[in-house]
Amino acid sequence: MKGAHLGEFEEFVLLAVHGLADEAYGSAVQRLLERETDRSVSLGAVYAALDRLEVKGLLRSEEVAGTPTRGGRRRRQFRLTSPGARAIDTVRAVRERLYRAAPTGPARTRP
Amino acid sequence: MTAERDRPPARWLALVRALLPAARRDEVEGDLMEGWQARADLSRVQRAWAFWRDAVSVAVPRRRPHHATHQGRSRFGAFAASFVHDIGAAGRLLVRRPAFSVLTIATLAIGMASATAVFAITDRVLFQPLPFPEPERLVALSGVNGQEIQEGRLKRYANLRELWSLGAYYTGSMNVGATEGPGRARVASVSPDFFAVFGVHPTAGRVLTPDDDPENALAVVAFDAWHRLYGGRASLIGQNIRLNSRSYLVLGVMPRGFRFPDATDIWISGMADAQASGPRGSSPLRKSWRASRQEGRRRKPQQPSRGPTSDATRVLNRRPPPYPCRNS
């Protein structure tokens, strides 16, 4: 583990798991990220990020029985741990401080 | 179409299952099925593309995930997963930068081809021995600038003290009426002791000897030509073959690899023995084609390394040439 630093994609995945609450698993996280970021997100990238976050102790997972749409196949459901919740708070605080330091109004390049 | 029925093709799922570690199959398969249903509004091609993008991204992860190297895998399984991961990473890099990839592959191809060519030539020329016993005792005699040696001089060369035996040959090509259909063959017209010079024994049958009448039309076939032209039949020995409408009796087949000179397919009698006192034989090659003629000679064993050149020069200078006007 390379420290507790969060990459941008990891941050997105962590937030998606937080937002999806009891429905946070690979395919759901992928769909949410594609919809909200307007990016093409591969399932493998989501799994890799979820695995890394679990290794960092920010998420934990458990096997849950599958629904009929999955043909009854079980899914791995993720939940935020308390270090994960703290990490989200920290990231948000950092961003808010940076936004406050920046000039107000829409961002533009300076002449 | 209900959600339960709208599934990716079963074969695709089976293939993906085969690529995944057993512990992850259910999870990934279920997620792929949900992803398929979530893209119901896309075209069939777009759905297929998204499915395989997801499947490959999971089966060949960009970063080596922990489950790929540790959970439920043997040491070999972990190695295989790591190997597949590396191949995948290389493939993605190649696709991402096609111009660089083409340049790299072309450079590697040219490098490998040139190294192979250099090795093949070096191996053949420097490391592989000639396909004759005691090749260090063989010398080749030819005229100045590779010109033919006049037949009149053969007898004098035969008297050189340092040379043990002497064979002479012409080369050319002739029409063959072969079992597999007519064709051309590289033919050498040789003197009767040609094969004795090389000390190579035939694979089957026998070779020409000085006891054979030079007027008889006799032939010895190379191993490759035996298979290529005559189907490798053992019964070929003792039969007649046709070369340029003339019939030659096949005496034997030489071993694989012996094709001296100039990748010869068939050796035929027709050159007079250098030491023969009788009438000289006639060579069909000499009559029909401009052919080169050289002599292979074997030095006597255990000779001092003075070389035959000094001896040859001494003999030629001492003896008056039979045709003074030509030798001036």
Side-chain angles (χ1 to χ4, degrees), chain B residues 14 18 108 115 285 299 302:
Chain B
L108 280 173
L285 293 174
R299 282 196 286 163
Q302 317 281 310

Side-chain angles (χ1 to χ4, degrees), chain A residues 7-79:
Chain A
E8 187 204 34
F9 192 69
E10 286 178 334
E11 185 188 334
F12 285 179
V13 171
L14 198 63
L15 284 168
V17 171
H18 183 42
L20 287 165
D22 286 346
E23 290 294 313
Y25 56 93
S27 180
V29 171
Q30 180 196 23
R31 273 175 282 152
L32 178 67
L33 290 179
E34 284 196 329
R35 194 172 66 235
E36 298 300 337
T37 64
D38 204 19
R39 284 188 200 175
S40 171
V41 177
S42 75
L43 194 58
V46 172
Y47 283 149
L50 288 169
D51 285 336
R52 282 200 302 275
L53 291 169
E54 192 172 13
V55 170
K56 288 179 180 179
L58 306 181
L59 295 178
R60 66 169 187 275
S61 68
E62 57 182 341
E63 300 276 342
V64 175
T67 55
T69 53
R70 303 170 60 86
R73 282 154 183 84
R74 67 179 187 276
R75 67 191 194 197
R76 194 152 62 110
Q77 188 158 307
F78 290 84
R79 281 179 198 284

Side-chain angles (χ1 to χ4, degrees), chain A residues 2 25-27 30-31 34 40-45 47 51-52 55 67-71 73-76, chain B residues 3-4 7 23-24 26-35 37-39 53-54 57-58 63 65-67:
Chain A
K2 297 175 185 172
Y25 56 93
S27 180
Q30 180 196 23
R31 273 175 282 152
E34 284 196 329
S40 171
V41 177
S42 75
L43 194 58
Y47 283 149
D51 285 336
R52 282 200 302 275
V55 170
T67 55
T69 53
R70 303 170 60 86
R73 282 154 183 84
R74 67 179 187 276
R75 67 191 194 197
R76 194 152 62 110
Chain B
E4 284 94 316
R7 288 181 182 173
R24 309 245 337 183
D26 269 13
E27 177 199 353
V28 175
E29 205 175 346
D31 280 347
L32 286 172
M33 289 164 83
E34 283 197 25
Q37 287 153 18
R39 298 185 188 100
R53 181 203 62 187
D54 283 348
S57 72
V58 176
R63 286 198 190 177
H66 276 249
H67 62 79

Side-chain angles (χ1 to χ4, degrees), chain B residues 64-75 77-78 81:
Chain B
R64 198 173 286 117
H66 276 249
H67 62 79
T69 49
H70 298 297
Q71 287 179 10
R73 283 184 191 266
S74 64
R75 190 178 245 184

Side-chain angles (χ1 to χ4, degrees), chain B residues 7-14 36 44 51:
Chain B
R7 288 181 182 173
R11 284 184 188 174
W12 294 7
L13 287 175
W36 179 267
R44 192 173 173 75
F51 175 89

